[in-house]
Amino acid sequence: MSNKFDALKNDDSGDESGNKDLHNAELQTPVIIPHGDHKLQYNYWLWYSCRPPGKQTVVQSYDQHLKLIGRFGSVEQFWAIYSHLVRPSELQSHSDFHLFKVGIKPMWEDEANKKGGKWIVRLRKGLASRCWENLVLAMLGEQFMVGQEICGAVVSIRFQEDIISVWNKTASDQATTARIRDTLRRVLNFPPSTILEYKTHVDSLKDNSSFRNTDVFTR
């Protein structure tokens, strides 16, 4: 199997010509799970984006930077994709991996996301690859125990820090968001003093930012 990421890792041109075919065809194709594979509870798709620093003024400009790497619905299909990917710590700055349930795009405006928000953990450089793998395995293994509330997860590589975030559907459900927070702290083996931040997607749309003006939680 070739490395699907080879064709993407140096492409930050914003050319949307390749995305048009994806939106019209591959995004609508059902995930076929081979007989004998270990089926996951949900089907997932993995996206990559790399954007120049600075604010994005229109939604479409963000959409154009999203590139679909692959889709999977079994343990075997996941490892076939994941084992051929560059690790997050090797990505250039302002790159992101987005792992979401099939049908949910990694955008604030998506129907499944717009009433939700995300937990944010800021990491010092060098920790992103390990934390991302632990988070992905926990999500695929349904360790969060919140039913359909989890939409997806993102690892964001930035210049001075890296950021892990977990997106959920219902920001107003405080009990569920608290369970996601506590599970995130546990699966990433963070000490109780670790600062986690929460931000609704409504607020992100207002200030056009994923990580500024967040609510901080230390326990």
Side-chain angles (χ1 to χ4, degrees):
M1 176 179 177
S2 63
N3 186 341
K4 294 185 178 183
F5 190 59
D6 280 343
L8 304 180
K9 61 184 177 181
N10 294 319
D11 182 5
D12 57 358
S13 63
D15 180 8
E16 63 175 333
S17 58
N19 276 357
K20 288 181 179 179
D21 290 338
L22 288 175
H23 286 279
N24 293 334
E26 187 174 358
L27 297 188
Q28 307 300 325
T29 304
V31 177
I32 305 300
I33 301 174
H35 178 71
D37 273 14
H38 295 82
K39 188 176 179 180
L40 298 170
Q41 186 165 342
Y42 299 97
N43 295 332
Y44 293 87
W45 47 17
L46 181 66
W47 301 78
Y48 167 75
S49 63
C50 184
R51 295 183 294 158
K55 289 185 177 181
Q56 302 295 307
T57 56
V58 292
V59 173
Q60 287 77 9
S61 66
Y62 175 75
D63 195 15
Q64 291 171 15
H65 288 285
L66 282 171
K67 297 184 181 297
L68 181 65
I69 297 174
R71 305 178 306 154
F72 60 90
S74 72
V75 174
E76 290 81 359
Q77 289 176 329
F78 162 69
W79 285 114
I81 294 173
Y82 185 82
S83 62
H84 288 82
L85 288 178
V86 171
R87 295 297 177 257
S89 60
E90 300 171 13
L91 295 174
Q92 61 182 307
S93 183
H94 286 83
S95 297
D96 305 81
F97 280 139
H98 316 258
L99 180 63
F100 278 71
K101 292 173 181 173
V102 166
I104 304 176
K105 292 194 68 176
M107 301 177 67
W108 307 323
E109 304 84 358
D110 188 275
E111 187 67 26
N113 296 324
K114 64 182 183 181
K115 295 182 179 179
K118 59 180 172 292
W119 282 108
I120 298 165
V121 184
R122 301 176 188 272
L123 306 170
R124 68 176 184 269
K125 302 298 287 187
L127 297 179
S129 293
R130 177 182 62 82
C131 289
W132 175 243
E133 182 167 298
N134 289 344
L135 173 58
V136 167
L137 295 179
M139 191 168 75
L140 300 184
E142 300 299 325
Q143 293 188 35
F144 285 90
M145 300 293 290
V146 290
Q148 299 182 9
E149 184 66 17
I150 296 291
C151 297
V154 183
V155 57
S156 304
I157 306 304
R158 299 298 182 261
F159 180 66
Q160 293 184 320
E161 64 182 359
D162 300 325
I163 301 169
I164 293 281
S165 57
V166 177
W167 294 35
N168 70 304
K169 286 185 177 182
T170 316
S172 61
D173 186 344
Q174 296 184 2
T176 299
T177 56
R179 173 176 283 190
I180 295 171
R181 175 199 63 201
D182 295 342
T183 305
L184 179 60
R185 180 178 280 125
R186 176 177 57 82
V187 299
L188 297 186
N189 197 28
F190 289 146
S193 60
T194 301
I195 294 175
L196 282 79
E197 305 164 63
Y198 192 82
K199 186 171 185 179
T200 68
H201 299 317
V202 170
D203 287 340
S204 290
L205 283 166
K206 288 178 180 177
D207 62 18
N208 199 29
S209 170
S210 286
F211 306 125
R212 292 196 306 271
N213 306 320
T214 55
D215 294 323
V216 176
F217 297 82
T218 58
R219 69 174 187 270

